[in-house]
Amino acid sequence: MERRLTVLLVDDEESVQKLLAYPLEREGYRVVQARNGEEALALYREEPVDLVILDLMLPRLDGLAVCRRLREERSAVPIIMLTARGDEGDKVLGLELGADDYITKPFSIREFMSRVRALLRRAQLPSLAARDELLEADGLRIDTARRAVEVNGEAVQLTYLEFELLRTLAANPGRVFTRKALLDDLWGGSEFRDPRTIDVHVRHLREKIEEDPGEPRFIFTVRGAGYRFRELR
């Protein structure tokens, strides 16, 4: 029997747990639930989790701390962070710490499920389309089959969406991608999403692969348009 995709739902409010668990289970996902940050980390280490839905405000360890711990443990699991309206700084910090997407409360179940489907669908693509491809440019090595990245021989740990963003750009050297095109490609749609999300992921990616993020050699900003990867010679 094929394993059902597992979603770790982390929120300390029982009403939110019930509200979000129902549509997830109705769509066929297995849902494991945690009420605080410490419980979330313990469950993640015990369960085969495919997606984490993580509330920002949690007892014991808040969502930012949980996100940081997961990434420090070199986990690339997709993470959707739930934030309150107006917490703009926390949204950006969440993305900087490795969250892949965020949803601002209050939100509709339609928006919520759209985000979940998009990330889980995208996360399954590498196994469904086992493309053995090696992309290299001036010391940067991207092994798409192994989802591994090296810079000058040193391994670089990327989050799930950081890797997808880098792979998309590097596989199309010289091509300019608009923010909307990247949202459509990486998240399965730009609806409900702030284009600035792309800017945060690009900045974080540059900090990991560029010798000088302020003077990038690989990922270039095209003013008024979007981003492109360096042309290969």
Side-chain angles (χ1 to χ4, degrees), residues 2-20:
E2 185 177 352
R3 182 179 73 85
R4 288 194 296 164
L5 296 178
T6 298
V7 177
L8 173 57
L9 178 57
V10 190
D11 198 294
D12 62 328
E13 296 184 39
E14 184 175 355
S15 60
V16 175
Q17 288 276 5
K18 289 181 177 178
L19 178 68
L20 300 184

Side-chain angles (χ1 to χ4, degrees), residues 122-133:
R122 188 67 181 176
Q124 297 309 301
L125 285 179
S127 59
L128 294 175
R131 292 176 294 175
D132 189 3
E133 190 175 9

Side-chain angles (χ1 to χ4, degrees), residues 169-228:
L169 292 171
N172 300 274
R175 174 183 168 185
V176 177
F177 285 85
T178 65
R179 291 167 178 81
K180 181 180 183 302
L182 289 169
L183 286 171
D184 287 340
D185 187 65
L186 273 64
W187 280 271
S190 56
E191 188 180 16
F192 307 124
R193 292 173 176 81
D194 187 339
R196 291 175 296 176
T197 300
I198 293 294
D199 300 334
V200 175
H201 283 297
V202 168
R203 183 167 68 250
H204 209 196
L205 186 54
R206 281 173 171 162
E207 289 172 354
K208 293 184 177 183
I209 67 169
E210 301 282 5
E211 185 175 329
D212 180 0
E215 295 289 338
R217 295 185 300 132
F218 301 114
I219 301 175
F220 299 105
T221 301
V222 181
R223 191 176 298 277
Y227 297 98
R228 68 174 177 84

Side-chain angles (χ1 to χ4, degrees), residues 8-21 32-37 39-40 43 52-59 61 63 80-83 105 107 112:
L8 173 57
L9 178 57
V10 190
D11 198 294
D12 62 328
E13 296 184 39
E14 184 175 355
S15 60
V16 175
Q17 288 276 5
K18 289 181 177 178
L19 178 68
L20 300 184
V32 292
Q33 302 179 30
R35 296 294 199 278
N36 61 66
E39 184 182 4
L43 277 173
V52 177
I53 298 168
L54 182 62
D55 188 44
L56 181 66
M57 302 300 294
L58 294 170
L61 282 177
I80 298 177
M81 188 162 282
L82 307 181
T83 67
K105 297 178 181 178
F107 51 82
F112 171 73

